[in-house]
Amino acid sequence: MDQGGIVAIPSLVRDEPAWTRNCKFRATCHADGNARSYTRLYLTLNHIFVDIEDAAVIGGALMANAVMHSDVPEYAEIPMHWALLRTGELVIQVQDARRDFPDFDEAVKWAPAEGEKPRGLWIARQLGAEIAYAPTEGGKVVQALIRPPVVPA
């Protein structure tokens, strides 16, 4: 299901977006940093009620994974989408040309052993993101759903 530029993954997206933003990044070693910067910019300008720095790190991690695992040349462009749902939840999606996601469940559940360097999806989960993926016509979309903090009544 397409909602304003995002490919809704039904298990995570349950609402229409209040706004969306889209951008494409070249698949270079700078893509994750650019994704972090754009995420920070878009969320700051739109007064989003999630932790903006955490969301920027999550966006960068999704982009880094796409660049690393999609096996596309550096001149290829990788689309990234941001959507704020009316519930206040933020959806960040990165699409890449590789349709499959080998060992997705293991990748999402992975945790670093003592002394091992943390990986992108683990970092995203530690920052509160729910991760999902779905195949699309041109490859797949990997999605992070970030909920706003719960404010005591």
Side-chain angles (χ1 to χ4, degrees), residues 68-82:
M68 183 182 305
H69 299 295
S70 65
D71 298 324
V72 295
E74 285 192 348
Y75 59 81
E77 292 183 325
I78 298 178
M80 187 167 183
H81 308 281
W82 301 263

Side-chain angles (χ1 to χ4, degrees), residues 1 8 10 15 19 39 55 61 69 71 75 112 126 130 132 135 149 151:
M1 171 169 60
D15 198 3
W19 66 258
T39 300
H69 299 295
D71 298 324
Y75 59 81
Q126 293 302 302
E130 291 181 45
V151 180

